[in-house]
Amino acid sequence: MDLSISDEHRQLRELAHRFTEERIVPHAARWDREEAIDRDLVPALGEVGFLGLGVTEEQGGSGGDHLAYCLVLEELARGDSAVRGIVSVSLGLVAKSIAAHGTEEQRRRWLPGLCAGEALGCFGLTEPGTGSDAASLATRAVRAGDDWLITGRKVFITNGTWADVALVFARTGGPGPRGITAFLVPTDSPGFTAREIRGKLGMRGQATAELVLDGVRVPDGDRLGDEGAGFALAMAALDRGRLSVAAGCVGAARGALEASLAYAGQREQFGRPIAGFQLVQELLADMAVDTDAARLLTWRCADLADRGEPFRTEASMAKLFASEASVRVADRAVQVFGGYGYTDEYPVGKHLRDTRVTTLYEGTSQIQKLLIGRALTGVNAFAR
């Protein structure tokens, strides 16, 4: 067991740290207030290779392994979890799905632009009536000669109004997971509309949308993977997604901890810095332990993935612990800051609002526990 990182990984982390300090931290509060990240950040993320991590250079990516991906996402989320979300979805859920399951034509068409930040992808799985029970989705794709006509609605879709391609999951067969197929849908297709969802508690800077598909015509050549294999493809993507969410939660927790340490060393009460009070030290100690434990679970998952071993259950464990831990850390950070933590003058309140959603999306904490329980017992809690 070796928990040190290579020089190459260290250099990549330093690059991500500098990028975050220069391009994200100075603007995060404004993006949160305005509910919009500056769009020119996307090509900048592509230019430094962050939108192509894990995709081979031959396919237009920047290479790198799962640990490299986690290191970068941790740094980005330390500055703004909304930026991490843009990368996690466009790269982790969409580009990597195309790399793993796409035809050569699909890879040539989409991967270079997605990895360069010239295009963005969104992941169209969740619907108004199907969140945790994704196998019951209602969006339908009907054969029309060599094409498919897709009709339905998707909701809470990250990058939805910015995306150039939507990875849409639609029912092509009977009920249940085996009747679902995946499609790559250009967002400028006739019948495709996106409406931005505003007024969110957190992750306010990233574009979140409701998608409406009204008879959108998609050639069969834009089907991703085999007919009826869409649900399995979505679950494989979410395994990777849970790893990236966990890494982002580590970054947000670290950002809250670092801000709290700096503040506690400067803020004075009763004639001395509050860092000298034992109950404040207890808060900081709990925050540090949660952050490190979340990172170790995340790195274990990345290590399994890099060695080609199964990591589904470990991804659920990492996502479950890291998301819940990041909320605890951010909440304690607000406590350290006192009343100032309740304002957006400091970043800890934003970290609390941003991390709260990580216990909900890409599988709620309760769903993660069911998945872990099924792996431990062999009993499927989702069986009907």
Side-chain angles (χ1 to χ4, degrees), residues 79-277:
D80 191 342
S81 290
V83 176
R84 189 276 307 162
I86 292 172
V87 176
S88 289
V89 171
S90 188
L91 169 59
L93 297 184
V94 179
K96 290 187 177 181
S97 293
I98 297 172
H101 304 284
T103 64
E104 283 303 317
E105 181 180 352
Q106 289 169 344
R107 292 170 182 163
R108 287 195 299 270
R109 179 181 181 185
W110 293 113
L111 289 181
L114 290 171
C115 294
E118 298 167 357
L120 278 178
C122 66
F123 190 77
L125 180 63
T126 300
E127 298 183 358
T130 56
S132 296
D133 188 13
S136 297
L137 63 81
T139 296
R140 179 162 291 277
V142 179
R143 275 280 192 181
D146 293 331
D147 300 334
W148 297 86
L149 297 178
I150 305 178
T151 299
R153 294 169 61 203
K154 303 291 181 178
V155 71
F156 302 131
I157 307 303
T158 299
N159 297 343
T161 54
W162 282 16
D164 301 275
V165 59
L167 177 49
V168 173
F169 297 88
R171 189 164 302 286
T172 56
R178 295 183 180 179
I180 297 171
T181 302
F183 298 90
L184 294 169
V185 182
T187 57
D188 60 359
S189 301
F192 186 105
T193 57
R195 178 186 66 84
E196 186 171 1
I197 298 172
R198 299 180 70 85
K200 295 174 294 182
L201 176 67
M203 297 287 197
R204 292 164 64 87
Q206 70 182 26
T208 305
E210 178 185 25
L211 309 181
V212 177
L213 296 92
D214 184 9
V216 176
R217 183 176 293 272
V218 178
D220 189 57
D222 287 342
R223 171 173 43 84
L224 185 64
D226 295 332
E227 186 175 341
F231 187 78
L233 189 154
M235 294 303 103
L238 288 176
D239 289 341
R240 296 188 302 269
R242 287 162 185 160
L243 174 61
S244 67
V245 170
C249 287
V250 174
R254 194 180 118 218
L257 173 59
E258 290 177 353
S260 298
L261 287 169
Y263 182 81
Q266 298 168 359
R267 173 69 168 174
E268 290 191 0
Q269 292 289 277
F270 306 101
R272 58 186 171 124
I274 63 172
F277 293 103

